[in-house]
Amino acid sequence: QVQLVESGGGLVQPGGSLTLACAASGFTLDSYAIVWFRQAPGKEREGVSCITFSDFTTYADSVKGRFTISRDNAKNTVYLQMNSLKPDDTAVYYCATQWGRKYCSPYYRTDSYDYWGQGTQVTVSS
């Protein structure tokens, strides 16, 4: 049973930091690419970052230089370290993967991913 569970969201002031976690079960995380998406109210879901099974990483232009994706294989968890947060970063953040996917796509199409976590809310506000 493939399962992804996000955690770490919360309320933070602009310029602050949060670290999100995506805990995986039912599969070996280090063999899969994991993608972070986010969805703000009234907007479509957008890709944020991706990490391949071999730890190659990609980032959306909107977060590059501020966010860092990483994995801890011992904990079967992928993290998203978010720094210099902006109000526009406010969204529900989801992690996702696809059976057999080892690499990242630059397109971040939501329908490319079969397994999703429940999401964790990030609110950036003063």
Side-chain angles (χ1 to χ4, degrees), residues 4-75:
L4 299 170
V5 179
E6 303 95 335
S7 62
L11 175 64
V12 65
Q13 294 184 8
S17 298
L18 284 174
T19 299
L20 307 183
C22 175
S25 62
F27 68 101
T28 303
L29 184 148
D30 63 4
S31 297
Y32 286 84
I34 303 293
V35 185
W36 284 98
F37 288 84
R38 66 185 182 186
Q39 188 166 24
K43 296 185 177 180
E44 63 185 6
R45 196 167 296 183
E46 63 176 350
V48 176
S49 183
C50 181
I51 184 167
T52 72
F53 81 105
S54 58
D55 291 341
F56 182 83
T57 59
T58 59
Y59 299 91
D61 289 342
S62 59
V63 307
K64 191 172 184 179
R66 300 189 296 121
F67 291 11
T68 302
I69 190 170
S70 63
R71 69 168 77 237
D72 185 338
N73 292 332
K75 296 181 178 179

Side-chain angles (χ1 to χ4, degrees), residues 3-8 21 23 45 92-95 116-121:
Q3 187 176 42
L4 299 170
V5 179
E6 303 95 335
S7 62
R45 196 167 296 183
V92 178
Y93 284 71
Y94 302 87
C95 60
W116 295 79
Q118 83 289 349
T120 186
Q121 176 71 49

Side-chain angles (χ1 to χ4, degrees), residues 50-118:
C50 181
I51 184 167
T52 72
F53 81 105
S54 58
D55 291 341
F56 182 83
T57 59
T58 59
Y59 299 91
D61 289 342
S62 59
V63 307
K64 191 172 184 179
R66 300 189 296 121
F67 291 11
T68 302
I69 190 170
S70 63
R71 69 168 77 237
D72 185 338
N73 292 332
K75 296 181 178 179
N76 213 30
T77 299
V78 167
Y79 300 94
L80 185 67
Q81 174 66 47
M82 305 185 296
N83 299 321
S84 301
L85 283 163
K86 306 173 181 179
D88 285 348
D89 296 319
T90 296
V92 178
Y93 284 71
Y94 302 87
C95 60
T97 193
Q98 179 184 21
W99 180 252
R101 180 181 287 271
K102 296 183 180 295
Y103 306 99
C104 296
S105 168
Y107 300 107
Y108 290 102
R109 290 191 167 92
T110 59
D111 59 3
S112 296
Y113 303 94
D114 300 322
Y115 304 106
W116 295 79
Q118 83 289 349

